[in-house]
Amino acid sequence: MSFTLLLDPPGPEARALAEKELRETEENVKKGIETLRKYIEEDKTIYFSTDDDFLMIFLRPCKFYPESAFELMKRVADFKVKHAVLLHNLMPEDEKNAFVEHNVVNIFKHRDHKNRRMMMVNCGKLWDPSKVSSDQIFRIFYLIHELAMYEPETQIFGSVVIMDFDGLSMKQITGMTPSFSMRLLSFIQDAMPLRLKEIHFVKQPFLFKMVWQMFKPFVREKLRNRMFFHGSKMSSFHAHIPPSHLPKNYDGELPEIDYTGADWYPIVISHEDKIKKWNTYGYVKNK
């Protein structure tokens, strides 16, 4: 698979999974779209696109319950207001240096054995907090999620995040501010219209316990059940994602990763129109 956004309609496997796990039947889709559109049109305080494809972004993670999808939209709008300092009119160009010069966030070219998108975050020695702040990492996450949610098959199959803590030191721990931790958790648990299926923590040293203690009290059960801690035991990781779908970096059968966020950056730029549009969504500003 090359560096590209996959915008094709869902294939047979995705459609079958969507019906089984997301209640995605013709009747539920029709009713969900009609009702969600009605909610948006009747609520004069909020603005989102009412195109069918756009509404599916919110209906799929909410299993086609339009009330839940509308609540998710409102939480997205709330989040954008609360973190406007970081997110207002955010464009890829604003974080070009972090994308291109620093290998902190990377997206695998291939999907896993369950067709899920995989994102890797280098939280250890490869991350220099004096050059890329935790706020910048969050902004990159946010830009990537904006594009991933437009992929119909990612809406259905979901995504997986690998947090690689190889070489973690106090430098990185002090770089992970409590405000970053809280913002990231709030985003994942409340305001991200994507199905995050698993988070894998790998190569984390003993020091990692300090980071985890910061997060732990605020992680709800649903998310906690999707978090897996492997340390240096790749066999433990392979129980979730087989070696056939992992690179050599994780004792997998695929070639070692030889690409970074720099290789993805042109794709992000080529879809700037979607990001620009997303920036207009949320609560209507009083004139």
Side-chain angles (χ1 to χ4, degrees):
M1 189 189 288
S2 60
F3 299 102
T4 182
L5 211 58
L6 305 171
L7 301 172
D8 299 334
E13 190 187 341
R15 288 200 305 271
L17 186 79
E19 186 170 345
K20 181 183 167 198
E21 290 189 2
L22 307 181
R23 302 173 63 252
E24 190 168 329
T25 62
E26 203 175 318
E27 184 188 351
N28 285 343
V29 170
K30 185 171 180 289
K31 190 180 170 196
I33 286 173
E34 282 173 5
T35 311
L36 182 54
R37 181 179 290 128
K38 185 164 155 279
Y39 288 155
I40 297 166
E41 287 169 350
E42 287 177 356
D43 189 328
K44 302 304 176 197
T45 66
I46 207 163
Y47 169 69
F48 281 94
S49 168
T50 55
D51 293 350
D52 288 10
D53 286 347
F54 184 82
L55 296 181
M56 292 292 272
I57 291 171
F58 289 87
L59 286 163
R60 279 184 170 132
C62 295
K63 301 189 176 176
F64 288 88
Y65 292 107
E67 299 82 6
S68 301
F70 190 53
E71 288 303 317
L72 175 56
M73 281 183 160
K74 287 194 277 192
R75 291 198 303 274
V76 165
D78 285 333
F79 192 86
K80 289 179 81 171
V81 170
K82 188 175 179 184
H83 302 288
V85 172
L86 286 181
L87 303 178
H88 181 64
N89 286 338
L90 173 63
M91 294 300 291
E93 185 69 29
D94 301 327
E95 291 302 342
K96 181 179 180 180
N97 181 262
F99 262 111
V100 174
E101 301 296 329
H102 303 280
N103 185 21
V104 183
V105 181
N106 200 355
I107 300 119
F108 283 16
K109 285 195 286 188
H110 62 283
R111 290 170 177 256
D112 76 358
H113 62 305
K114 293 182 178 177
N115 278 317
R116 301 173 297 193
R117 268 279 185 210
M118 289 190 281
M119 183 172 86
M120 179 181 68
V121 188
N122 288 311
C123 315
K125 63 189 175 197
L126 291 180
W127 172 39
D128 183 347
S130 67
K131 298 203 171 127
V132 181
S133 70
S134 56
D135 282 351
Q136 287 179 282
I137 292 178
F138 182 78
R139 279 155 63 95
I140 294 173
F141 274 179
Y142 196 82
L143 288 165
I144 289 169
H145 114 276
E146 284 181 55
L147 296 186
M149 69 187 187
Y150 278 100
E151 293 189 315
E153 293 216 343
T154 300
Q155 293 167 17
I156 293 167
F157 291 120
S159 60
V160 171
V161 173
I162 299 164
M163 306 286 286
D164 188 329
F165 286 91
D166 187 30
L168 179 77
S169 70
M170 282 308 294
K171 182 164 84 168
Q172 287 83 23
I173 287 175
T174 51
M176 286 180 211
T177 61
S179 62
F180 164 74
S181 307
M182 292 306 299
R183 189 188 313 116
L184 182 59
L185 273 177
S186 165
F187 176 57
I188 290 170
Q189 297 185 126
D190 298 317
M192 187 172 76
L194 268 177
R195 306 183 74 206
L196 180 56
K197 301 300 290 176
E198 293 171 8
I199 303 178
H200 295 281
F201 297 84
V202 298
K203 304 182 183 179
Q204 72 275 24
F206 184 75
L207 264 179
F208 171 78
K209 285 197 169 179
M210 290 174 68
V211 182
W212 178 236
Q213 292 311 319
M214 226 165 30
F215 270 89
K216 198 175 176 183
F218 307 102
V219 180
R220 291 180 211 139
E221 189 181 4
K222 182 181 176 183
L223 182 59
R224 196 177 294 148
N225 290 338
R226 295 179 180 194
M227 291 177 154
F228 304 95
F229 302 86
H230 307 296
S232 55
K233 279 190 229 152
M234 291 302 112
S235 56
S236 162
F237 187 18
H238 295 166
H240 298 270
I241 299 176
S244 57
H245 287 75
L246 287 172
K248 276 191 179 150
N249 310 58
Y250 304 108
D251 293 356
E253 293 163 12
L254 298 176
E256 199 154 321
I257 299 167
D258 60 355
Y259 52 89
T260 68
D263 298 286
W264 279 101
Y265 184 72
I267 303 304
V268 179
I269 286 292
S270 71
H271 290 283
E272 271 190 325
D273 56 326
K274 291 181 177 61
I275 292 168
K276 211 170 270 183
K277 196 78 182 130
W278 180 258
N279 284 338
T280 68
Y281 299 144
Y283 285 119
V284 177
K285 291 176 182 65
N286 294 324
K287 291 179 179 158

